[in-house]
Amino acid sequence: MREFGYERALDVPGAVAVAVADPDVRFLGGGTNLVDLMKAGVERPGRLVDVRELPLDRVEPTPGGGLRIGATVTNSDLAAHPEVRRRYPALTQAVLAGASGQLRNMATVGGNLLQRTRCGYFTDVSKPCNKRVPGSGCPAVAGEHHNHAVLGASDHCVAVHPSDMGVALAAFDAVVTYETADGPGELPLADFYRPVGDSPHRETALPPGALVTGVVLPPAPVAARSRYRKVRERASYAFAIGSAAAALDVRDGTVTDARLAFGAVASRPWRARAAEDVLIGAPATGETFAAAADAELAAARPLPHNAYKVPLMRNLVVALLTELTEEATR
């Protein structure tokens, strides 16, 4: 492990100033992903700036009825917050599904969004990887890819984003806020992650030296009737092989509002807008739910060993939307 400097940030402008002056700096939250990557030699920062003591650890209501979540809020505190549980239950469920209690106590909201792929080729520095060494190739395309992307991938990278939390945030139109030397900025989560294209090493649209300060969830009455479902290869604290966050409003047997996002199928949390278009205004039936899933998955381009994800996601969507419909009609 490379030697590195360490300092604790006293305020947001100070943290940003350090990062702008030194591109070899990384911000340290809970460290549950970054420190592991440093041990493996994937990340090699010259200095860590600890941001855990910054005043970014609150969950607060916004004037319009949404929530503002600070970047250093721990996953445990987020999942337990009464307003999150009441207004966005799928977010609570996603966080609880994401890791063990020990990890949730350390991991932060900002770090969760910025965590990097768990692809074995990425974390093994003896192997080529375009995400780690641009231009070196993506051996997963012809190698081990059973848990890799079926949507939005390219020949340059087929890895998936590992966040459960991000899937729920994507379903509810979350906006990421950040601070730079030029002042504050924001990015809709839909624009926060860059498409893979031919530059998979450029993962987000954050400006250089930017510090993520939080996430804003806009008001969404439909989110109160939401659920997150995760499929994994073992029951306890494994990364998803497929997941979905869904919210549904059904009135007189018709879908009047719907939110849907997929996880573990793309390089970023995948908002299923084609499926939503099929759902809204249609009968709340299994046939509609299957048609919605098919509309979204029509763009899937699976590899030989991960084609199972297409029927898996189809069945998951139908089951999840059926459960929400049954709840709405009780």
Side-chain angles (χ1 to χ4, degrees), residues 36-78:
D36 283 348
L37 293 177
M38 290 171 65
K39 290 177 180 178
V42 176
E43 290 275 8
R44 296 174 58 83
R47 183 162 39 156
L48 296 181
V49 176
D50 191 333
V51 298
R52 284 295 291 265
E53 300 302 317
L54 296 180
L56 303 171
D57 60 348
R58 299 181 64 184
V59 178
E60 303 171 304
T62 62
L67 289 178
R68 179 178 291 104
I69 303 165
T72 64
V73 172
T74 67
N75 288 7
S76 290
D77 287 346
L78 179 66

Side-chain angles (χ1 to χ4, degrees), residues 187-261:
L187 282 166
L189 194 68
D191 301 325
F192 182 75
Y193 298 107
R194 293 171 52 91
V196 174
D198 59 1
S199 54
H201 61 290
R202 299 175 62 191
E203 295 175 349
T204 76
L206 283 172
L211 171 66
V212 172
T213 55
V215 175
V216 176
L217 282 168
V222 69
R225 296 173 293 278
S226 63
R227 182 171 293 187
Y228 181 77
R229 179 67 62 81
K230 176 177 182 176
V231 181
R232 43 194 165 189
E233 291 179 331
R234 65 174 189 269
S236 180
Y237 307 122
F239 292 104
I241 57 174
S243 68
L248 206 62
D249 189 8
V250 178
R251 301 187 185 186
D252 298 324
T254 298
V255 178
T256 58
D257 197 1
R259 307 291 176 88
L260 189 62

Side-chain angles (χ1 to χ4, degrees), residues 9 11 24 33 52 66 71 74 103 119 125-126 134 213 215 221 247 259 264 324:
D11 53 44
D24 208 18
N33 182 218
R52 284 295 291 265
T74 67
L103 286 173
C119 174
V125 295
S126 70
T213 55
V215 175
R259 307 291 176 88
L324 287 169

